[in-house]
Amino acid sequence: MSDALSKPRSTPGTEPKPPRPVPHSPADDIPDGAQVLLAVIGIASAIALLVWGIPKGYHWARAQDWHHFTQWAATIDRPVHTYLAAHTTGLPITAASAYVLWQGIGLGSLALSWATGATGARLTWIAYGAATAWMVWDSSPATGRPVATALAALAWTVGSAFALRGLSLRPVIVNR
């Protein structure tokens, strides 16, 4: 019998493929001694940060004048609190509960939008910003309304850089 007849027949395209090479890791190029040295330096840096850096940062933060930041936050926060207090009269929810819900929904939608990019969370973030700007406009003194609303819009815009990251208005074209 000839060798051509004794070999098993295979259909075209099903020939066994050679095994894939093992992926190369960048850590394979670093000698073991250098890896140990990098680990020791990393652990020493973490210990130095915990022992020296965090207390220094804490003392620095306590020595700073945060008055400008607190004024800016109060420009947004107080009108929202006033708006909720005025418009929850007669409702089963208290103004304090509505205020806590407002804060929680804002932080939750910001975090969910950033972490998941979910459409619902992003739409909630957009509605939250619009509602906040409206509450600031409605409850701020008449002479300061434009500035207070602009500060609220700027704060919401800064948050939107995180909440709406990766959002594109370009159409997605799928070629099949």
Side-chain angles (χ1 to χ4, degrees):
M1 221 177 200
S2 73
D3 287 333
L5 296 176
S6 63
K7 290 185 181 178
R9 294 177 59 185
S10 62
T11 57
T14 61
E15 293 84 20
K17 295 181 178 158
R20 289 185 175 181
V22 177
H24 180 74
S25 171
D28 296 340
D29 294 337
I30 302 172
D32 292 339
Q35 288 181 0
V36 170
L37 180 64
L38 287 172
V40 168
I41 290 172
I43 291 170
S45 299
I47 290 171
L49 177 68
L50 290 172
V51 170
W52 180 81
I54 291 176
K56 289 283 188 185
Y58 175 75
H59 291 301
W60 173 83
R62 289 194 44 106
Q64 298 305 310
D65 180 18
W66 296 101
H67 187 67
H68 297 294
F69 176 75
T70 56
Q71 284 179 339
W72 175 72
T75 302
I76 300 166
D77 191 56
R78 283 187 193 149
V80 168
H81 204 285
T82 304
Y83 182 90
L84 292 173
H87 291 86
T88 54
T89 307
L91 295 177
I93 191 168
T94 64
S97 296
Y99 180 70
V100 169
L101 277 172
W102 172 76
Q103 289 178 324
I105 289 171
L107 288 174
S109 64
L110 174 64
L112 284 173
S113 296
W114 178 78
T116 66
T119 303
R122 287 180 171 181
L123 290 174
T124 303
W125 174 253
I126 292 169
Y128 173 81
T132 301
W134 170 253
M135 287 188 278
V136 169
W137 175 266
D138 189 57
S139 295
S140 294
T143 56
R145 279 185 182 160
V147 172
T149 306
L151 288 173
L154 286 174
W156 179 77
T157 304
V158 169
S160 294
F162 298 101
L164 303 178
R165 72 179 172 88
L167 184 66
S168 174
L169 298 177
R170 289 184 172 174
V172 177
I173 300 171
V174 179
N175 293 328
R176 293 182 191 200

